[in-house]
Amino acid sequence: MPRHVRMAGPFHDRVRVHMSVTMSHPYSDLPPSAFWRPAVARMRADRLERLYDPKFRLTVNSAVATAGSCFAQHLGRALRRAGLAVLDAEPAPPGLGADFLQGHGFNLYSGRYGNIYTARQMLQLLEEVVLGRPDPAQVWERDGRWYDALRPGVDPGGLDSAEEVLAIRLGHLQRLAPMLASADVLVFTLGLTEAWRCRRSGRVYPTCPGVIAGSFDPGRHEFVNFTYPEVTEDLHRLRRVLHGFNPAMRLLLTVSPVPLAASATGGHVLPATQYSKATLRAAAGDFASAYADVDYFPSYEIVTNPAARGGFFAGDLRQVTPAGVAAVMRVFLAAHGLKGRKAAEVAAEDAEELICEEALLEAFQR
Amino acid sequence: MSAARLRLLFIGNSHIGAPRLAYAADPLRWPDWEIDFLGMLGGNFARLDLVGGALVPTNEKLAAEMQYYNMVRRLEVGGYDAFAIVGGLGWTGMAALCAAHRSLGFPSVMAGATGVQLVGRQFLDAALRERFRKSAAGRLRQRLDSLGKPVLILPEPMPSAECTAARARYAAYVDMVERGDAQFWRDWFRRCAEAELGRAAQVLFWPEAAAIAGAYTRPELMRGAMRLTPHRDQPQPETDFAHGNAGYGAMMMDQIMAALPR
């Protein structure tokens, strides 16, 4: 029976029956999941159904690489808990606490590259791995300590010299290559369109120069807000580079639901956030539609679902609550036929604070 | 026994056996201090709370262990004039920290070692300090701070030079020695221990006379070590290469006496 807007009274009932019998149109045979009221308005936000039909299945035998903005840390943890082989090119030394290690960039992703907020940042990392040589210009200094400008958060105390930064980055690049070659799937979470980049080299940074280290120089650094065509093009190039490591590698994209901590567009952060997320969402969706080996998972939609009435955001209205993460992972794991862990355990572990350089911008608010 | 003598309490794990044996064999050799020993298994001595001037177990299982090994279920410590914490720093296990992760200054890295995950010197520094902060010795030291008495910390001995016979068990350590990193890492360990623990305690490292190649303990100072047992002496098995004997314990006692205020 087709579903219609409910109208009261015998006249309207007759009209409804008449229309049902006589009319056929593209909506008449759609499942409940296609209609807002049954699929969203009347559905618990943590019990969404038929939201995601994977193009390809992850199994416990899948070798998965993860990267992306800070929300991607949740995905990586959940995949590990589900028993997947989440690759780690740079495993942590033994016997140290989780907070300490994560504060130094270990156990966050499949390499110690820190948060990767933009498609361009991911692309440039992959191209640097192919090149196998770090850029000596991308070293920042602060108070006599030296930082890798492309991942300044992984060594919070800095390094002893620019030479040490470059030696460690070279080792980092060398370890990523075999990891990427062995990955069946890269799970990549897009976070932002806004970034700061080096005018000379075009390299984008995960943080604005001067926030963690380095110093901001308008002659050397510029703001960029990537547009839909630019993000889409970066994703296509990213796929090509990934296939250079492993032609069979598949790509699973998500968009982080975490709003911008601050916008450098000069406008209000709310529309800036919506622009950023809409651009990433549209680019990811269109890009995924173009390839059988690229999929999109709607974590952004699950967390921002109006049916959650904001309940998946913490008190700061940015960070995602453990319940929000659990809702995302329930859909993801169920769709892939994977088993998660008990909600209470997941919530406890996901209460761990994420490592998020972008949040440092909040310290600069007046 | 003179009432005027100062009182020293040893607190530790199985490594407390060495100084206890030494003291039991020749108490008159260290006549200036009245000495007591409190031994617990592994890192359990760090699970004792300091409540109202007494060290008390935090649960019944721990209380039973304390009773079994020490014949007390709580120990008033306010009357002691100094404390020596023995063991609970984990020197041998620290070799695992630099098994795969090393910084530029390591001799093996400078010699061109491959397969190493290069990390910052500052990271390894922070990692060592993190381990000391969370070590059993470090945690107990924090509790004893409030008593305002001198605290000495003595790491467990370096493994016996005979530990190569149990290579699987000591793989990370023996590898570290064989690739030439042991003394470099030992010196780093000492610097970090002093920086992290030395503000409120004095760390007494291994007696130089007991060491071989800066990385092992002379086997004759380890053979015949005794287990932490309450009622009678029970030797460590022949496959134990971790514990000092009475000879090693006497060296520790001399170190402690030289370090304590007179």
Side-chain angles (χ1 to χ4, degrees):
Chain A
M1 170 76 87
R3 292 164 190 269
H4 296 271
V5 175
R6 185 179 296 276
M7 293 176 284
F11 171 76
H12 287 125
D13 283 347
R14 283 198 299 277
V15 170
R16 184 158 64 95
V17 170
H18 175 73
M19 290 170 66
S20 301
V21 171
T22 59
M23 295 184 68
S24 175
H25 51 73
Y27 293 88
S28 55
D29 293 325
L30 291 178
S33 61
F35 294 89
W36 186 263
R37 188 163 53 189
V40 180
R42 290 183 176 170
M43 186 65 69
R44 277 178 50 171
D46 61 350
R47 288 289 179 271
L48 294 172
E49 294 171 355
R50 298 193 60 183
L51 185 67
Y52 169 55
D53 186 15
K55 280 187 187 174
F56 44 84
R57 288 291 178 104
L58 296 181
T59 72
V60 290
N61 298 317
S62 301
V64 180
T66 66
S69 73
C70 44
F71 184 75
Q73 293 167 32
H74 289 304
L75 296 177
R77 284 180 202 155
L79 293 174
R80 280 191 200 95
R81 284 194 295 256
L84 270 74
V86 177
L87 299 170
D88 192 351
E90 295 167 294
L96 296 165
D99 289 348
F100 176 84
L101 290 170
Q102 290 178 0
H104 288 82
F106 289 101
N107 298 344
L108 297 176
Y109 302 111
S110 293
R112 205 171 157 229
Y113 30 69
N115 293 321
I116 296 178
Y117 293 102
T118 59
R120 179 66 55 86
Q121 193 192 339
M122 185 74 210
L123 173 64
Q124 76 184 19
L125 172 63
L126 295 175
E127 290 177 338
E128 196 184 2
V129 174
V130 172
L131 188 66
R133 192 173 65 244
D135 179 356
Q138 305 308 330
V139 179
W140 286 345
E141 187 266 351
R142 171 170 280 183
D143 299 332
R145 304 293 296 162
W146 302 84
Y147 295 80
D148 184 338
L150 302 174
R151 48 173 189 159
V154 302
D155 276 303
L159 298 166
D160 292 349
S161 64
E163 291 71 27
E164 188 179 32
V165 171
L166 293 172
I168 292 173
R169 185 160 188 87
L170 176 61
H172 170 60
L173 299 175
Q174 289 169 341
R175 282 178 168 265
L176 295 185
M179 183 276 290
L180 290 164
S182 65
D184 297 321
V185 182
L186 171 66
V187 180
F188 178 46
T189 300
L190 294 152
L192 302 174
T193 54
E194 294 188 21
W196 292 88
R197 70 182 166 196
C198 171
R199 288 181 186 275
R200 182 188 62 78
S201 66
R203 287 187 190 281
V204 296
Y205 302 113
T207 63
C208 180
V211 172
I212 291 179
S215 56
F216 181 71
D217 176 355
R220 289 190 293 131
H221 307 124
E222 65 179 352
F223 174 71
V224 58
N225 195 5
F226 291 110
T227 62
Y228 170 88
E230 289 171 321
V231 174
T232 307
E233 173 58 21
D234 283 346
L235 290 172
H236 285 286
R237 288 173 59 193
L238 190 150
R239 178 175 171 273
R240 284 196 294 273
V241 180
L242 283 174
H243 284 174
F245 290 103
N246 176 2
M249 196 191 310
R250 290 169 295 190
L251 188 55
L252 178 53
L253 293 175
T254 65
V255 172
S256 165
V258 178
L260 276 65
S263 171
T265 56
H268 195 286
V269 70
L270 182 60
T273 293
Q274 294 306 329
Y275 171 83
S276 201
K277 301 300 179 183
T279 299
L280 296 174
R281 173 63 188 88
D286 289 351
F287 174 62
S289 298
Y291 299 104
D293 59 7
V294 181
D295 200 4
Y296 171 78
F297 173 70
S299 56
Y300 174 82
E301 289 85 340
I302 295 170
V303 174
T304 59
N305 178 1
R309 292 173 170 76
F312 288 160
F313 285 106
D316 64 358
L317 302 183
R318 280 193 76 242
Q319 295 305 319
V320 178
T321 61
V325 175
V328 168
M329 295 319 304
R330 193 186 70 82
V331 172
F332 185 85
L333 296 176
H336 284 279
L338 296 165
K339 286 185 179 175
R341 292 236 309 272
K342 288 179 182 173
E345 293 174 53
V346 173
E349 288 182 25
D350 277 318
E352 291 174 26
E353 199 166 340
L354 297 183
I355 305 299
C356 201
E357 295 95 338
E358 202 223 348
L360 295 174
L361 295 173
E362 289 173 349
F364 293 86
Q365 67 192 14
R366 282 173 288 191
Chain B
M1 187 179 295
S2 166
R5 284 201 304 171
L6 297 171
R7 297 180 70 205
L8 168 65
L9 176 64
F10 278 75
I11 310 173
N13 53 23
S14 57
H15 294 286
I16 211 171
R20 193 171 64 176
L21 274 176
Y23 186 67
D26 191 5
L28 297 180
R29 182 170 162 184
W30 301 283
D32 297 338
W33 289 76
E34 184 181 328
I35 299 174
D36 293 320
F37 296 86
L38 178 70
M40 304 284 286
L41 293 175
N44 282 348
F45 64 83
R47 297 194 176 95
L48 300 175
D49 256 353
L50 185 61
V51 180
L55 283 174
V56 295
T58 47
N59 58 54
E60 183 51 38
K61 188 176 174 196
L62 215 54
E65 181 186 319
M66 191 174 181
Q67 170 77 42
Y68 180 75
Y69 288 108
N70 305 279
M71 289 169 280
V72 292
R73 291 175 74 88
R74 56 181 279 126
L75 183 64
E76 296 290 339
V77 292
Y80 286 97
D81 300 292
F83 300 92
I85 303 173
V86 180
L89 277 187
W91 156 247
T92 306
M94 295 277 193
L97 264 184
C98 66
H101 300 76
R102 281 168 245 159
S103 59
L104 286 177
F106 272 73
S108 60
V109 173
M110 294 174 75
T114 56
V116 179
Q117 191 177 150
L118 207 56
V119 293
R121 183 198 57 77
Q122 186 273 343
F123 168 75
L124 289 174
D125 220 62
L128 279 170
R129 293 181 69 149
E130 166 87 352
R131 289 280 294 259
F132 289 133
R133 246 190 320 278
K134 295 187 172 172
S135 68
R139 283 181 285 156
L140 179 63
R141 192 226 70 194
Q142 285 175 14
R143 295 208 178 100
L144 296 178
D145 276 355
S146 64
L147 295 173
K149 302 289 176 60
V151 177
L152 308 175
I153 297 177
L154 293 89
E156 44 280 272
M158 293 188 283
S160 164
E162 292 175 335
C163 77
T164 49
R167 180 147 191 146
R169 197 159 16 115
Y170 287 92
Y173 196 89
V174 175
D175 286 349
M176 177 178 73
V177 175
E178 290 181 351
R179 65 175 185 262
D181 287 336
Q183 290 191 49
F184 179 82
W185 190 233
R186 187 197 66 169
D187 292 345
W188 198 338
F189 175 93
R190 291 176 60 143
R191 282 196 305 275
C192 283
E194 279 167 350
E196 187 58 41
L197 305 170
R199 279 166 292 156
Q202 186 176 355
V203 188
L204 302 178
F205 295 99
W206 313 276
E208 284 300 329
I212 293 178
Y216 294 118
T217 301
R218 286 162 40 200
E220 63 270 27
L221 292 171
M222 306 199 84
R223 292 189 210 111
M226 295 291 167
R227 300 177 71 115
L228 178 71
T229 50
H231 305 303
R232 64 181 189 279
D233 289 343
Q234 185 178 340
Q236 292 280 2
E238 286 187 7
T239 53
D240 175 80
F241 304 109
H243 294 86
N245 61 21
Y248 187 86
M251 288 180 162
M252 293 171 80
M253 292 291 293
D254 289 342
Q255 274 186 300
I256 291 167
M257 293 303 147
L260 285 171
R262 294 171 191 276

